[in-house]
Amino acid sequence: RAVERVKVIGDAGGRVAVATGAPASLLPLHLAFARIARAAGADVPDLADVGPLRIDGRTPRFLRWIDGVATVSDGHAICATADGQAARELLFVLPRPALVVGDGPFAEVAWEAGVEVVMLAGLDRGALAVAAARHERCTVVPLRTDRAPRAYASLLTVLEPRESRPSPPRM
């Protein structure tokens, strides 16, 4: 259902913002959603760095896009965040998206702002699961959000069959 929502928005030429607060675990999944959205015809923002910002009580932090996926960075590394400030800044700098694909605060803040969301969520984010059950602008992809990226290989296979995935860079 999550992929279908992304494709419907893409088919209409809508804007799909993709963001992760758990990049060490979920970045590959978000990158897959960004590729799916682009392939469907969606406008997937990929901006220059935004900031400096104060996020999670730390500064300087920046919103940094990686192939269409917004993350939080300290300028050298990408950082996890549970802070809604990054998500509020994302919605401030972007023209209003038709859909946000995200986890944690990115999905919650978008939903609170009235934007439809596809949320990758663990049991720690139950509020939007209730909204999804009521069909209120939310599609939840239930999963643990603290695993190593390889733990999501089966989900990546569902999202993007191997033949459509980009080849890893050669070193």
Side-chain angles (χ1 to χ4, degrees), residues 128-147:
L128 287 184
V130 173
R134 294 180 180 168
H135 304 288
E136 295 178 1
R137 303 182 333 271
C138 184
T139 303
V140 175
V141 178
L143 48 77
R144 293 278 309 256
T145 59
D146 61 350
R147 300 291 189 218

Side-chain angles (χ1 to χ4, degrees), residues 11-79:
D11 287 343
R15 181 172 296 107
V16 176
V18 185
T20 181
S25 297
L26 301 179
L27 183 58
L29 293 176
H30 286 84
L31 289 166
F33 273 107
R35 285 190 292 271
I36 291 165
R38 277 194 202 100
D43 170 19
V44 179
D46 197 353
L47 299 156
D49 285 2
V50 172
L53 306 166
R54 184 174 182 81
I55 297 173
D56 293 312
R58 295 185 172 102
T59 190
R61 293 292 188 257
F62 304 87
L63 284 179
R64 177 167 288 171
W65 277 258
I66 301 169
D67 201 19
V69 179
T71 64
V72 172
S73 172
D74 64 5
H76 300 284
I78 53 176
C79 309

Side-chain angles (χ1 to χ4, degrees), residues 84-161:
Q85 183 57 36
R88 286 186 290 279
E89 189 68 22
L90 176 80
L91 291 179
F92 178 76
V93 300
L94 292 179
R96 187 172 177 86
L99 176 71
V100 169
V101 176
D103 56 68
F106 290 105
E108 289 173 347
V109 168
W111 185 82
E112 289 169 359
V115 177
E116 181 180 357
V117 298
V118 167
M119 180 178 191
L120 285 66
L123 295 175
D124 59 328
R125 301 288 183 174
L128 287 184
V130 173
R134 294 180 180 168
H135 304 288
E136 295 178 1
R137 303 182 333 271
C138 184
T139 303
V140 175
V141 178
L143 48 77
R144 293 278 309 256
T145 59
D146 61 350
R147 300 291 189 218
R150 69 178 342 141
Y152 307 108
S154 59
L155 186 52
L156 276 173
T157 300
V158 171
L159 292 174
E160 296 183 306

